[in-house]
Every structure is written in structure tokens, then in C-alpha cells.
Amino acid sequence: MADLIFWRHAEAEDVSASGKDTDRALTKRGRKDAARMAKWLSDYLPAVTVVLCSPAQRCRETAAALSALNQAPVIIEEFLSVDSSAERIAKELASKYSAKTVLIVGHQPNLGLLIVKLLGMHQSAGVVKKGSVWWLRQRLVGNDATYYIHSVRQPDS
């Protein structure tokens, strides 16, 4: 993968009308923050970026803010669901999306776990604030790929 961009869904309601966690929608602030980050992403994303999204409502609404700006197709992937694991996500990305720039709209703690793992940090998990974007860039040294932080943006920055 050339770049991996992690976008945590924006602020969502505490409880959905259905009572299901996956049905929680963005709050007014969440929609505003998603639009702000979508604008920034739209300005900087390579045209060939693959946008992957958790099936959860709050993630789909966050990704829709970007799609509304640049008509980027959003691929809903079950492996990014709330119940997934960082290990499963890493495996699926490597098998399906290697050598591509990928934007992932997903959840904590999995995003933080993946970022820490890719950066080779010794912490057990990293914190990705709601609505924020962590952009990791790949560097190839021989046959080994390493990642470094290209950018971290929060909706209020």
C-alpha cells in the first residue's frame, strides 16, 4: 500500500432509535466535523484512493461527507465492522488492497491498534479522536515496508 489513511467516524449519538450500536447516527456536531475533514481530505487525497468504510451508520455518514465533495465511491467492508479486530483488518487489507492508497473510515480501538502496529510502537494501543484523520505513508527499504506519520488532522484544527 502506498498510503494508509485512517479516519475515525465523527461524533455520533449515544443511543440509536433502534437501540442497535450499528444504527447510531452522527450528531449535528458530527456532521459538521465530518464535512470539515472531508473538505481537507478532498483537497489532498490522490485521485486513485480506495475508500473503505465500516457498515455502521456513523461511519457511512462520515464517508458520505467525502463522497458528496468528490464523488468518490465508498466500499462498505464487513471486516471494518465494530466487532472486527485489528488483526483481521490488517489481513484483509494486505490480501485485497495491497499497493493501493486506502482511506479507511472506521472505529476505535481498531484504528489505534493498527496505527501503533504499523508504526512499530511498543504501546498496546493508540488513541484516534472522533473525526480525526491519521495519514501514514509507506517507505520501502529493499523489500521491507515501513510506515511513518505523514499527517494527523483533527476537525477543530
Side-chain angles (χ1 to χ4, degrees):
M1 282 163 258
D3 288 0
L4 276 176
I5 305 148
F6 299 93
W7 188 10
R8 185 177 176 193
H9 64 78
E11 181 182 270
E13 60 191 2
D14 292 330
V15 180
S16 69
S18 72
K20 292 182 182 179
D21 178 60
T22 55
D23 292 343
R24 292 190 302 130
L26 294 182
T27 62
K28 183 178 178 179
R29 177 184 174 179
R31 288 188 300 276
K32 181 179 174 184
D33 288 349
R36 183 178 294 125
M37 293 308 300
K39 170 68 172 102
W40 182 80
L41 284 164
S42 184
D43 288 346
Y44 294 101
L45 281 177
V48 293
T49 302
V50 176
V51 181
L52 306 178
C53 183
S54 161
Q57 178 69 25
R58 58 195 178 272
C59 292
R60 289 182 296 150
E61 289 180 22
T62 299
L66 177 63
S67 188
L69 289 175
N70 67 4
Q71 289 72 48
V74 176
I75 302 168
I76 306 299
E77 286 283 14
E78 190 61 38
F79 71 82
L80 295 172
S81 71
V82 176
D83 299 326
S84 191
S85 68
E87 293 77 19
R88 179 177 177 209
I89 294 169
K91 181 180 173 186
E92 295 281 351
L93 288 173
S95 69
K96 292 181 180 180
Y97 300 102
S98 62
K100 296 179 181 169
T101 295
V102 177
L103 168 64
I104 299 165
V105 183
H107 308 274
Q108 257 311 85
N110 288 333
L111 296 184
L113 290 166
L114 280 168
I115 290 167
V116 166
K117 179 181 177 181
L118 290 169
L119 294 175
M121 299 170 75
H122 299 290
Q123 296 150 295
S124 59
V127 176
V128 178
K129 292 180 134 186
K130 290 178 185 170
S132 67
V133 171
W134 284 62
W135 190 319
L136 303 186
R137 184 149 282 164
Q138 186 184 73
R139 179 181 296 140
L140 292 174
V141 179
N143 291 331
D144 296 326
T146 60
Y147 287 89
Y148 64 93
I149 298 172
H150 174 65
S151 183
V152 176
R153 297 280 301 191
Q154 295 183 22
D156 55 2
S157 61

